[in-house]
Amino acid sequence: MPSVLAATHPTDTVYGEVGDATVPLRFSASSASSAAEYGVLRERAAVLDLGGHGLVEITGPSAVDFAQRLLARDVEYLTSDRCMMSLVLDEDGQVVDQVVAFGREDGLLLESSCGAGGRLLEHLRAHQEDGVEITDRSGELTVIGLEGPYAWGVVGRLIDAELASLPFESVADATWDDTEIVFARTGLTGEYGYQMIVPAEAAAALWTSALEHARPAGLEALELAMLEVRQPIPRHEATPGATVIEIGANWLVDITKDDFVGKDAVTEAFESGGGRRTVGFTGCAGVPAPGTRVLAGGQDVGEIVHAVHSAGLDATLGLARVDADLAAAGLELTVGGLTVTTLTSPYIVPKSWSIPII
Amino acid sequence: MTIDELRAKAAERQQTCSQIKKMIVSRLDLEIEPGWITDDQPLFGRGLELDSLDVLELYVAIEAEFGVALYDSEMAVFGSVSRLADEVNPALRATA
């Protein structure tokens, strides 16, 4: 499904197929474009076309109970002024998706990860029960993001300065140019981050207006910045068979919650203490492909999960999944015959951590 | 390094991280097991969702438990448990 903003993007925008979505990878055919967009995101303010994120509404008298059973975090008291990120798991504890759940007066609105809206919708409908209505709102609504150390300034100029200083994961119903939008303080990259859920027919105007104050950044820049602060990217990290513990996404699961789909499997994986763990690394020449073997002292101890060239580090940056007793920063391992060094996260310290909202 | 040397080096960091996790859970009275916190997960905002009051509590706890004062440090030291481990056990950084 193409972005509703596609007509507004430059003609040389490079798109990619991600799951069921066609999304802008970078906003110029130039290969240097991603690094420039990354620079905007880390140094100033970027506007993000998040139209590849599906939106699913859960309503009905049993909506909250249903969401509480399907989401791995506790959403029982998620009021309409709050949102939270959560994993959605299947019965085997495998990651179906990583969502942002918005509390709404009549239920919840779930925002899928990039390209996973169809998969999320299918999973929810497979578990649907009486008293629950599940509606795909992806065609009617879209998501526009703002991210960067000065994104708060863009919010002030675009909508309302008071919205910029909302606490993290707060939500407000706002108005932009007589259009009702859902505004949230979120963030995927460690920088100041905001999301606006907008009616599709108003999205192009809001996007164009945002571009008067910020530059666009595509998925390549966004995912690099997410990786740098160890924000899970399910399409890369939730490899088949990997447990939540191996992925290192424990914080997106409320293990103290009474019950949820997949809890037994997650608990078993945690209590067993076995398997592998994910650790960041840098070094080596080029970008090793997922599945490339990782050696320690000449022995095979794991594999590459995901790697890219980091414009911030000017080096290869990636995640490896290795034996649990070797998942630690500061080790020299071998990938493709070359030495890599494991890292402590975050791999880049976001500029926003030292810049107050004025 | 041999694999046993690498395991020993990893164990040293994991031991410090484990000590920090136990301290966090105890001081902040969290309901989770310390091992549920991962070495790399964010602590402030996302992840463990600590707030500024929690951080003040941790300043005191870290000084009491590790003899390290972090009061004037940047927030980056709370970037993850592993990052905190670098601060409270500088030997980990020296050998990294």
Side-chain angles (χ1 to χ4, degrees):
Chain A
M1 188 174 67
S3 162
V4 298
L5 294 168
T8 68
H9 296 332
T11 53
D12 63 343
T13 297
V14 176
Y15 291 92
E17 303 296 322
V18 176
D20 55 20
T22 304
V23 299
L25 301 179
R26 56 182 188 271
F27 288 92
S28 163
S30 164
S31 58
S33 174
S34 275
E37 292 171 15
Y38 166 85
V40 168
L41 198 160
R42 279 277 180 242
E43 297 294 329
R44 300 187 62 78
V47 56
L48 310 169
D49 175 359
L50 302 178
H53 295 205
L55 291 164
V56 181
E57 193 174 65
I58 302 172
T59 54
S62 300
V64 173
D65 290 343
F66 174 74
Q68 183 73 341
R69 188 167 71 84
L70 269 288
L71 270 63
R73 290 193 66 200
D74 194 337
V75 293
E76 187 173 5
Y77 301 108
L78 188 66
T79 52
S80 58
D81 59 354
R82 301 290 300 165
C83 66
M84 67 162 62
M85 189 169 279
S86 173
L87 290 182
V88 177
L89 306 172
D90 67 14
E91 283 75 2
D92 296 326
Q94 295 288 289
V95 174
V96 174
D97 197 15
Q98 178 176 302
V99 301
V100 179
F102 294 81
R104 299 280 81 195
E105 293 293 345
D106 53 354
L108 289 94
L109 182 66
L110 303 185
E111 177 190 341
S112 80
S113 65
C114 186
R119 177 182 163 93
L120 174 66
L121 190 62
E122 184 181 345
H123 177 77
L124 295 175
R125 285 187 169 151
H127 290 79
Q128 189 167 3
E129 54 202 34
D130 289 345
V132 175
E133 289 178 30
I134 298 170
T135 310
D136 183 7
R137 302 291 302 277
S138 306
E140 309 158 42
L141 302 170
T142 193
V143 188
I144 295 174
L146 293 166
E147 198 103 9
Y150 297 102
W152 50 270
V154 178
V155 172
R157 290 188 287 275
L158 192 62
I159 309 175
D160 181 347
E162 286 194 14
L163 292 174
S165 56
L166 283 174
F168 185 62
E169 295 192 328
S170 291
V171 180
D173 292 311
T175 302
W176 178 82
D177 196 25
D178 294 331
T179 300
E180 291 183 2
I181 65 172
V182 177
F183 184 92
R185 169 96 181 266
T186 53
L188 298 166
T189 66
E191 307 293 354
Y192 292 115
Y194 307 90
Q195 289 193 5
M196 297 166 285
I197 301 176
V198 189
E201 61 273 16
L206 178 55
W207 174 266
T208 302
S209 186
L211 287 181
E212 293 173 10
H213 312 287
R215 300 267 303 278
L219 188 67
E220 290 176 349
L222 175 62
E223 288 194 340
L224 167 58
M226 290 168 70
L227 170 63
E228 288 173 343
V229 295
R230 204 58 188 88
Q231 173 72 36
I233 306 171
R235 76 186 188 101
H236 296 306
E237 299 179 47
T239 54
T243 68
V244 167
I245 317 300
E246 289 176 312
I247 295 168
N250 307 27
W251 60 279
L252 294 169
V253 172
D254 278 336
I255 199 65
T256 59
K257 195 169 131 179
D258 284 345
D259 196 21
F260 56 87
V261 173
K263 182 180 180 183
D264 291 346
V266 173
T267 302
E268 185 181 336
F270 176 62
E271 291 178 348
S272 78
R276 290 181 161 160
R277 299 291 180 272
T278 303
V279 65
F281 71 89
T282 188
C284 73
V287 176
T292 303
R293 306 313 305 173
V294 178
L295 307 182
Q299 294 186 34
D300 188 326
V301 296
E303 64 183 19
I304 298 298
V305 177
H306 172 53
V308 295
H309 176 79
S310 164
L313 296 175
D314 192 23
T316 299
L317 175 66
L319 299 173
R321 198 158 288 150
V322 301
D323 293 348
D325 59 1
L326 286 163
L331 304 186
E332 289 195 340
L333 306 177
T334 306
V335 175
L338 299 171
T339 300
V340 302
T341 304
T342 55
L343 298 171
T344 289
S345 79
Y347 315 127
I348 292 277
V349 176
K351 191 171 183 174
S352 299
W353 291 9
S354 55
I355 293 180
I357 295 175
I358 301 171
Chain B
M1 276 189 179
T2 67
I3 192 165
D4 288 337
E5 290 169 333
L6 288 166
R7 284 192 179 116
K9 191 173 175 182
E12 185 183 359
R13 176 175 291 273
Q14 290 173 342
Q15 199 277 332
T16 301
C17 287
S18 175
Q19 199 177 347
I20 292 169
K21 293 172 194 175
K22 286 175 185 166
M23 179 197 72
I24 291 173
V25 167
S26 169
R27 285 290 186 140
L28 302 182
D29 205 18
L30 304 182
E31 292 182 3
I32 52 174
E33 290 185 40
W36 185 251
I37 304 171
T38 63
D39 293 355
D40 276 349
Q41 94 179 40
L43 298 180
F44 197 75
R46 303 177 302 143
L48 204 57
E49 300 183 344
L50 302 188
D51 59 25
S52 52
L53 289 178
D54 294 329
V55 171
L56 288 175
E57 177 72 23
L58 289 183
Y59 281 142
V60 176
I62 288 166
E63 186 166 25
E65 182 140 351
F66 297 96
V68 176
L70 296 177
Y71 301 101
D72 295 328
S73 303
E74 294 179 350
M75 285 308 300
V77 302
F78 291 100
S80 65
V81 169
S82 190
R83 181 62 70 100
L84 258 182
D86 284 332
E87 300 298 322
V88 303
N89 184 359
L92 296 175
R93 270 188 298 183
T95 59

